[in-house]
Amino acid sequence: MRLVLLFMMFALPLGVFAAPEQVSVGEYRIEYEIKGAGEATLFLEAGGSAGMSDWNPIYDKLAEHARVIRYSRVGNGNSTAIRKHFSSEDYAQGAKTLLEALGVKGKVIYIAHSYGANVARTFAAQYPEKLAALMLIEPSSEHDVDIMRALDLELAEKQIAQVKLDDMKNGMTNQYLDFWSKRPLPDYPQIPDIPVTVIASIKKYDDPQLLFFTDEARNMWGELHSNWAHAFPQGRVVLTEKSYHYPQNDEPDMVVNEVLALISRASK
């Protein structure tokens, strides 16, 4: 009976699904949801520790214009819980395997938030034949810590150590282990010439708790991502002063409009 149900699941068009499902990917069960239809396929990668609910504010709206796939990485949401370290390379391979399990044949437009951007960038470098375009929203970067150290090395080292300890108390989320702890810090992987959009917040904090959230650091953050996006012939950067780390929550219409613009650029 289980085999029959599994066959029926993959026999249906992807756009039919409109509720969370689970699929076996290797030894893990992965929570995912597919909604909408259209020529473009959007693949949504959530931030660190986040499941697919990271995309709740814009998911339905995007599904009005394209086929949209969102999922929870291993260890997040209702996917299989883990107690071991996964790198962005592991997660990128998992994303590829998930797409194959779901029968996605063509290229996807990869949209990623926060730590998910590390996964998406790695995916773009390792599997360029599967990617039509890339959007990074408030992307975490190996250079976050460089910004802090440039402002105050001694204080930065203390704050970075505390952030890692706090993160580990909440479980093995891998976000800080994956790049904040590496020496030397790796640079951005090479990504093909595809349409790329980066949305980054430069909104100032009234009471910054970390060097990373000071006014000077916010300016350096904006410059970092502007330079990176503009290095692409088809690159675009959006610097927002209206939201902090979750533009999809605070400015959903802006994010949706940028996704639609990216779809248009990718179709040319």
Side-chain angles (χ1 to χ4, degrees):
M1 183 64 177
R2 183 180 178 185
L3 290 175
V4 173
L5 291 174
L6 188 62
F7 173 79
M8 290 175 64
M9 179 178 72
F10 287 110
L12 291 171
L14 286 178
V16 169
F17 295 108
E21 301 278 347
Q22 287 196 344
V23 64
S24 293
V25 177
E27 60 184 300
Y28 305 109
R29 295 290 295 173
I30 302 298
E31 173 189 40
Y32 73 96
E33 184 176 5
I34 301 174
K35 189 173 183 179
E39 293 185 5
T41 297
L42 308 181
F43 187 61
L44 309 185
E45 186 79 51
S49 304
M52 58 188 195
S53 62
D54 202 13
W55 301 105
N56 281 350
I58 62 173
Y59 181 69
D60 289 339
K61 190 68 175 179
L62 292 177
E64 295 176 6
H65 304 277
R67 180 175 61 175
V68 187
I69 305 170
R70 62 174 174 173
Y71 81 109
S72 299
R73 287 187 302 274
V74 171
N76 298 320
N78 291 318
S79 294
T80 301
I82 57 171
R83 295 297 300 176
K84 65 179 182 180
H85 175 52
F86 266 51
S87 68
S88 55
E89 289 80 10
D90 295 326
Y91 283 131
Q93 183 178 22
K96 172 179 175 288
T97 306
L98 173 62
L99 289 170
E100 291 171 348
L102 296 178
V104 178
K105 301 297 184 182
K107 296 182 178 183
V108 301
I109 295 176
Y110 211 133
I111 302 171
H113 174 233
S114 191
Y115 171 71
N118 287 58
V119 179
R121 284 181 11 235
T122 303
F123 184 99
Q126 293 184 344
Y127 313 110
E129 73 282 358
K130 297 185 176 296
L131 204 64
L134 180 65
M135 175 178 285
L136 309 182
I137 301 173
E138 272 291 279
S140 296
S141 163
E142 297 91 328
H143 302 289
D144 295 352
V145 289
D146 295 337
I147 289 174
M148 297 173 67
R149 292 189 178 107
L151 295 176
D152 187 327
L153 180 59
E154 182 177 357
L155 180 57
E157 294 296 348
K158 291 179 180 178
Q159 291 185 346
I160 292 166
Q162 186 60 52
V163 167
K164 288 189 288 187
L165 287 174
D166 292 342
D167 184 59
M168 292 303 293
K169 290 178 182 177
N170 295 324
M172 188 73 78
T173 67
N174 304 297
Q175 181 171 355
Y176 298 103
L177 287 175
D178 198 24
F179 58 89
W180 278 34
S181 297
K182 290 182 180 178
R183 297 294 185 274
L185 292 172
D187 207 339
Y188 289 106
Q190 296 300 309
I191 296 174
D193 178 13
I194 55 176
V196 172
T197 297
V198 177
I199 299 176
S201 169
I202 55 172
K203 186 175 181 179
K204 303 301 191 293
Y205 288 73
D206 293 332
D207 184 23
Q209 299 299 305
L210 291 174
L211 282 170
F212 188 66
F213 300 125
T214 61
D215 290 359
E216 188 174 0
R218 294 289 82 204
N219 292 335
M220 294 170 69
W221 165 265
E223 182 178 1
L224 166 69
H225 289 297
S226 293
N227 291 341
W228 188 79
H230 289 151
F232 287 86
Q234 302 181 68
R236 169 175 166 76
V237 65
V238 177
L239 300 180
T240 178
E241 296 181 348
K242 297 181 179 180
S243 58
Y244 289 116
H245 194 53
Y246 294 89
Q248 67 268 38
N249 292 352
D250 300 330
E251 299 178 80
D253 290 342
M254 179 273 287
V255 175
V256 169
N257 288 337
E258 288 297 332
V259 171
L260 296 182
L262 185 62
I263 293 174
S264 177
R265 289 159 58 202
S267 66
K268 293 180 180 179

